Structure formats: structure tokens, C-alpha cells
Amino acid sequence: MSGMNAARIRLMTEDDLHDAERASTVTFLDSDRLAMRVGDPEPEPPTPDVSRRWIDRMRFFLTVDPEGCWVAEDNDDNDLEWMDRLDADLRGAGHGPDHRYMLNTLRLVVHDSRDRPGYVYINDTAGWAPLLAAAHPETARLLLWEALASTQDETLVNCITTPNHWAVDVGLAARLHLA
């Protein structure tokens, strides 16, 4: 599948723990380096013992809250089919070839649960989500939170219609200015 950064959100399994720990390490190490002040010591990666404890802690979370642990992975072409069907169900028509265009210019995040599918395209450069579609409000909330967490600066959540009151709830929880 072409596209800048296409990702699928799914429930985490124990097989994901080592990769998730590495992704967490890289992300937080980069963040620590960006936040460094002059004279601060160079951030160090975690020791093997710290990494093992992180994995053990996440394994515990998988045990006590398996529905609360999610990971992202690459999409495949099958996503476009169900995304178009979802669009047709929600708005009466699919986005068809628009999906291919958006895949080349935006980052796609999908939640492909059978009973609660959804997706969001995120413009990381401009800091907003030009298109979000979800079969269930909880999926829509998760996807909007992902879009908001991806922004680096100001963001925009527009075209909120009456059936999308969940977006107002997310905006208030995120302490966004609502107009």
C-alpha cells in the first residue's frame, strides 16, 4: 500500500511486548534529547534491567486490562474496501479514489474491529485530521484522541455535526478552545 505512514490500531498481544518496548525507548529517548537544556547530561537508553521491568509491567497490564492495551501496525489494501463500505454506511457514499490520494499525502490510522471499525487521516504537517469515520462513538473518540496527540502546535477539529457530539466531549476533555 502506498502512503506516507499508514497504521492499523489493534489490541496488543504478548508477542508485541518487545517491539513495543523498543518503540517506547526510541520515542522517549528522542523526546528527552529534544527537551534537553544546555548543560544537561546526554539522555541514556534504558538498561536491560529497566527494559525487562517495562515489559513485565506491560504484561501485567495485558492481564488485568486486555481491552486497554493497543498497538499500531502497517495497513494493507484490504483496509480500503471496508473503509469505503463504512463511508457508504455512514454518509451514503464511499470516498473511492479519494482514499488513494489521501494515502499519498496524509497518515492513515485505522481501528479495524469487526463491530466498531473506524479510521482517521491525519495531516501531521498542518496538525489536524481532515477525515474521520467510525461506526461507534467510542472508536471515533479513540481516533480523535490519536489525531490530537499527533499535533505539534495548534489544531483544528471542524465540521462537527449533531450526531458527532462525542467530538465536543473530546474537545472539552482536551481543553481545546471550542467556538
Side-chain angles (χ1 to χ4, degrees), residues 5 42 56 71 76 90 108 118 133 136 140 155 159-160:
N5 294 303
E42 178 71 21
D56 289 345
V71 294
D76 60 40
L90 295 175
L108 171 65
H136 190 274
T155 188
C159 301
I160 299 174

Side-chain angles (χ1 to χ4, degrees), residues 2-83:
S2 60
M4 292 176 59
N5 294 303
R8 169 195 323 271
I9 298 173
R10 64 170 173 76
L11 286 172
M12 180 183 269
T13 68
E14 193 163 332
D15 292 340
D16 297 314
L17 291 174
H18 288 281
D19 289 339
E21 188 278 331
R22 291 302 313 142
S24 173
T25 293
V26 168
T27 300
F28 285 106
L29 193 57
D30 284 348
S31 176
D32 290 345
R33 286 185 175 131
L34 289 171
M36 277 179 47
R37 296 179 185 191
V38 174
D40 283 351
E42 178 71 21
E44 298 286 332
T47 64
D49 186 51
V50 170
S51 293
R52 182 185 47 74
R53 285 190 308 227
W54 188 97
I55 290 169
D56 289 345
R57 187 173 72 244
M58 290 303 120
R59 186 176 289 117
F60 169 75
F61 291 148
L62 279 174
T63 303
V64 297
D65 188 14
E67 296 290 318
C69 300
W70 298 83
V71 294
E73 66 183 6
D74 290 343
N75 296 90
D76 60 40
D77 282 327
N78 293 331
D79 290 329
L80 297 184
E81 294 172 20
W82 70 258
M83 288 165 53

Side-chain angles (χ1 to χ4, degrees), residues 101-173:
Y101 173 78
M102 289 184 280
L103 281 171
N104 288 320
T105 59
L106 304 168
R107 181 167 58 96
L108 171 65
V109 176
V110 302
H111 183 277
D112 67 349
S113 164
R114 280 194 180 162
D115 57 339
R116 295 182 174 191
Y119 69 89
V120 62
Y121 284 101
I122 301 171
N123 183 329
D124 288 318
T125 305
W128 67 295
L131 179 59
L132 186 153
H136 190 274
E138 184 56 32
T139 302
R141 280 193 278 284
L142 286 170
L143 292 168
L144 183 54
W145 274 113
E146 170 62 24
L148 293 174
S150 300
T151 62
Q152 301 288 325
D153 203 357
E154 290 188 22
T155 188
L156 171 68
V157 180
N158 65 344
C159 301
I160 299 174
T161 59
T162 303
N164 300 326
H165 57 84
W166 53 265
V168 174
D169 296 339
V170 171
L172 291 171

